[in-house]
């Protein structure tokens, strides 16, 4: 929205006026001697001789001097003082913020002023202006519309109606853009949820597959362990059988030898001693000495 489409419906510094007589500072302010008024008003406030309007006059004087920060401070001190006109002080503090281009704080002050008096339509109009500058078009449209209904004979009615027309188009466009954005966001969210569900499903399937693989590995490992234990048992059993066969063989061999020895011994015992010869049976005995030739 272009700035030249805005209307300048702005500041009229508002003050309540004094009640039973003016102080020197207030009198100087009304004579447009704002610099001198500031000095006397500060003294009167410090001395406790100021009226309940003194802080408002002081803030307005600072605004006329272009010192908006001190104006804000003066209005704030007035707001903290019991019995002061909070509606007017908040309104003028909002104007001081506005002049510093601090539109967010200006909106807050105008809202406080309207909270004190909802029929204080100047605060509503200035808040609409502050909203508009911040591109808060929906809030600005609402305030402008309510203002023109409450003050239908405002001298700037036509300008305000033009603003309302432009804002209505702008707000309708924003609402449509927001709707499209929300639909796109909803679609994106649905797509993200779908992708997340797919990822979760894939993850679950992978986990299930890994679990099945782990179980299969554990089963194979268990079978391999059983097979190894079985083979070991078979080897031990086979070696035990070999050992027994060897022991039996050795026992049989020892028994065979024992029997052979026994047989030999029996054979020796059964042999007739008369059948034995010294090997001299065939020798010729000579009774006479040999004659030598």
């Amino acid at each position: 929205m272009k700035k030249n489409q805005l209307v300048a419906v702005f500041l009229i510094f508002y003050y309540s006026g004094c009640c039973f007589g003016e102080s020197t500072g207030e009198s100087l302010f009304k004579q447009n001697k704002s610099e001198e008024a500031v000095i006397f008003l500060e003294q009167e406030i410090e001395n406790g001789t100021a009226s309940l309007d003194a802080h408002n006059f002081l803030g307005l004087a600072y605004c006329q001097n272009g010192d908006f920060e001190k104006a804000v401070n003066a209005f704030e001190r007035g707001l903290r003082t019991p019995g002061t006109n909070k509606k007017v002080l908040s309104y003028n503090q909002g104007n001081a913020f506005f002049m510093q281009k601090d539109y967010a704080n200006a909106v807050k002050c105008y809202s406080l002023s309207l909270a004190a008096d909802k029929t204080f339509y100047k605060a509503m109009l200035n808040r609409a202006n502050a909203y508009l500058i911040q591109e808060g078009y929906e809030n600005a449209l609402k305030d402008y519309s309510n203002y023109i209904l409450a003050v239908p004979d405002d001298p700037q009615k036509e300008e305000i109606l033009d603003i309302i027309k432009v804002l209505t188009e702008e707000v309708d466009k924003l609402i449509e853009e927001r709707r499209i954005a929300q639909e796109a966001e909803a679609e994106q969210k649905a797509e993200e949820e779908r992708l997340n569900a797919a990822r979760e499903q894939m993850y679950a399937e992978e986990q299930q597959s890994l679990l099945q693989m782990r179980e299969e590995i554990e089963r194979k490992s268990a079978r391999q362990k059983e097979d190894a234990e079985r083979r070991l048992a078979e080897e031990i059993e086979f070696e035990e059988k070999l050992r027994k066969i060897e022991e039996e063989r050795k026992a049989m061999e020892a028994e065979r030898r024992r029997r052979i020895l026994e047989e030999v011994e029996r054979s020796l015992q059964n042999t007739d001693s008369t059948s034995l010869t010294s090997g001299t049976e065939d020798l010729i005995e000579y009774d006479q000495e040999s004659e030598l030739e």
Side-chain angles (χ1 to χ4, degrees):
M1 187 173 186
K2 296 180 180 179
K3 298 299 181 184
N4 59 12
Q5 291 176 305
L6 311 183
V7 292
V9 188
F10 192 50
L11 298 172
I12 299 173
F13 286 116
Y14 182 94
Y15 56 89
S16 63
C18 59
C19 297
F20 300 106
E22 297 177 346
S23 69
T24 302
E26 292 169 356
S27 178
L28 288 169
F29 174 79
K30 291 183 179 182
Q31 296 173 45
N32 292 322
K33 298 178 180 179
S34 58
E35 293 182 359
E36 297 175 37
V38 163
I39 298 172
F40 281 94
L41 287 168
E42 287 284 13
Q43 291 176 348
E44 291 164 4
I45 291 171
E46 185 177 356
N47 295 333
T49 60
S51 70
L52 292 176
D53 288 331
H55 289 93
N56 189 47
F57 282 116
L58 178 62
L60 293 174
Y62 276 127
C63 283
Q64 286 185 350
N65 295 337
D67 198 340
F68 299 111
E69 288 187 6
K70 288 185 178 180
V72 167
N73 178 267
F75 293 131
E76 184 64 31
R77 282 185 282 161
L79 288 168
R80 294 197 298 265
T81 300
T84 55
N85 191 329
K86 304 299 189 289
K87 173 185 73 174
V88 173
L89 287 167
S90 295
Y91 172 77
N92 282 331
Q93 188 180 43
N95 290 338
F97 275 123
F98 197 108
M99 296 301 290
Q100 295 179 85
K101 299 183 179 181
D102 187 349
Y103 305 113
N105 276 320
V107 165
K108 292 178 182 178
C109 292
Y110 297 140
S111 296
L112 289 174
S113 183
L114 284 167
D117 182 359
K118 64 181 180 181
T119 64
F120 190 41
Y121 299 116
K122 288 184 180 180
M124 182 180 293
L125 181 60
N126 281 6
R127 187 174 69 178
N129 292 331
Y131 276 135
L132 187 60
I133 293 174
Q134 294 180 94
E135 298 184 356
Y137 298 142
E138 291 174 88
N139 288 328
L141 177 60
K142 181 179 178 181
D143 273 354
Y144 282 128
S145 299
N146 288 336
Y147 177 80
I148 208 65
L149 287 174
V151 190
D153 56 347
D154 186 281
Q156 299 180 98
K157 178 179 180 179
E158 294 303 319
E159 289 89 340
I160 295 173
L161 288 175
D162 287 341
I163 282 290
I164 290 173
K165 181 180 178 181
V166 173
L167 281 175
T168 299
E169 294 174 357
E170 193 71 24
V171 168
D172 288 344
K173 187 189 299 182
L174 288 173
I175 291 173
E176 179 62 15
E177 290 175 354
R178 189 179 302 140
R179 183 189 64 78
I180 294 172
Q182 288 173 346
E183 289 179 355
E185 183 180 356
E187 291 177 1
Q188 182 179 358
K189 184 177 180 181
E191 180 65 14
E192 289 177 355
E193 290 176 352
R194 187 188 66 78
L195 291 174
N196 287 335
R199 281 193 289 266
E200 289 176 0
Q201 178 65 24
M202 184 181 299
Y203 177 77
E205 291 175 354
E206 289 176 352
Q207 291 297 105
Q208 182 64 25
S209 177
L210 288 173
L211 179 60
Q212 291 174 351
M213 290 175 61
R214 188 178 298 114
E215 290 175 349
E216 181 62 25
I217 290 171
E218 289 175 354
R219 283 195 296 270
K220 288 182 178 179
S221 178
R223 285 197 299 269
Q224 290 173 352
K225 183 178 179 182
E226 290 175 358
D227 291 343
E229 290 176 349
R230 179 179 53 78
R231 287 194 298 271
L232 179 61
E234 290 175 352
E235 290 175 1
I236 293 172
E237 183 180 2
F238 181 71
E239 290 177 357
E240 182 65 19
K241 286 181 180 179
L242 289 178
R243 186 185 63 77
K244 288 182 179 180
I245 290 171
E246 181 64 18
E247 288 179 352
E248 290 176 356
R249 186 190 66 77
K250 288 180 179 179
M252 291 175 63
E253 180 65 22
E255 180 64 20
R256 187 183 67 80
R257 289 179 181 177
R258 186 185 62 77
R259 289 178 180 178
I260 290 172
L261 290 174
E262 287 179 351
E263 184 66 27
V264 171
E265 184 178 353
R266 282 194 301 271
S267 296
L268 291 175
Q269 289 175 355
N270 293 333
T271 301
D272 188 358
S273 61
T274 59
S275 65
L276 296 176
T277 179
S278 62
T280 62
E281 295 86 350
D282 296 331
L283 292 176
I284 300 174
E285 295 182 359
Y286 293 95
D287 292 335
Q288 298 179 355
E289 296 180 0
S290 301
E291 292 184 0
L292 296 176
E293 294 180 354

